Amino acid sequence: MKRWIAAAAAIALILSMSVFAFAKEEGFAVEDGRLVYFLENGNKAKNKTIGTFRFGRDTFYTSGNKDLDEFVSSVVKEYTDDSMTQEERLVALYDYMLTKCSYRMGNIYEPGEEGWEIEEALDMIERGNRGNCYSFAALFRELARAIGYPAEAYSGTVKGANYEHERTPHGWVEIEIDGEVFVFDPEMGYMQQMVLFMMPQNDPGTQRWGYRVDAPEKTEITDKAEDK
């Protein structure tokens, strides 16, 4: 009788654990500084692409570069915790960019140019968290993606000192949240000592900076490329 009770208790425990596992809400979660995605059946995505996120054999999101993934994970672990909401994590990581990174001149990219993000993020890390607007954008892009935001970095132009006639090459980040696009500009925020965080793309306050990805008729370059 005692053996039967023990066996029944063990089965009940296994079943309760199974129910708990499959009760995990579908969507992104951060585990030990790494992003995972729980499928509808409770399993983690593995060797699978969800939207613009690629999850590897280990079930963790990957940028495609191991060194970058490890660095980003270490930052997420140190500067965020499980008590935070996703947005609170984003605020903490944006603050990290403003307080733990600094400016140095670097590469400039053409408006609309793609494919520079991973290289620029790695370059900023290798140079002790120092870089220009493209480097800031590239690293923040990966930090935001590491907590489940579909962040994208853009190369374009913004208004210069003479708002009517001058445009300056610039890089920034955009994230679509609940159908609305928001602009995040950590480098401009760092340089101007302003919080340029989660700015609605079409808001007049955002538009005064003149973010444009398309090539303008005339661009006056105010930053110089520097050999690596």
Side-chain angles (χ1 to χ4, degrees), residues 70-185:
E70 290 179 351
F71 179 85
V72 167
S73 174
S74 70
V75 173
V76 173
K77 285 177 64 175
E78 183 172 355
Y79 292 91
T80 76
D81 60 62
D82 292 341
S83 71
M84 295 178 171
T85 64
Q86 187 186 30
E87 186 172 331
E88 287 172 338
R89 287 182 190 265
L90 190 63
V91 171
L93 295 175
Y94 182 87
D95 185 64
Y96 168 85
M97 296 298 305
L98 268 60
T99 60
K100 304 300 181 181
C101 300
S102 59
Y103 183 84
R104 67 176 295 279
M105 290 192 294
N107 296 320
I108 294 174
Y109 298 92
E110 292 295 322
E113 188 171 345
E114 300 176 351
W116 46 269
E117 300 90 343
I118 300 300
E119 180 180 351
E120 285 295 329
L122 286 169
D123 186 63
M124 186 160 191
I125 294 167
E126 291 168 1
R127 294 178 182 272
N129 275 9
R130 298 176 66 236
N132 66 1
C133 56
Y134 303 100
S135 308
F136 270 74
L139 182 54
F140 183 65
R141 169 186 182 266
E142 283 307 314
L143 289 171
R145 292 178 68 81
I147 57 171
Y149 284 98
E152 295 297 343
Y154 288 93
S155 172
T157 62
V158 292
K159 293 178 180 178
N162 184 339
Y163 278 16
E164 295 299 322
H165 305 291
E166 178 187 305
R167 296 196 65 83
T168 301
H170 192 56
W172 66 91
V173 171
E174 294 183 6
I175 304 176
E176 183 174 338
I177 303 172
D178 295 330
E180 184 174 3
V181 177
F182 295 89
V183 175
F184 298 77
D185 197 338

Side-chain angles (χ1 to χ4, degrees), residues 34-59:
R34 301 291 301 275
L35 185 70
V36 298
Y37 187 92
F38 283 93
L39 302 169
E40 187 177 5
N41 62 7
N43 294 329
K44 296 176 185 177
K46 181 178 181 180
N47 281 335
K48 191 177 183 66
T49 298
I50 307 292
T52 60
F53 295 84
R54 178 63 186 172
F55 295 89
R57 294 172 59 187
D58 58 2
T59 74

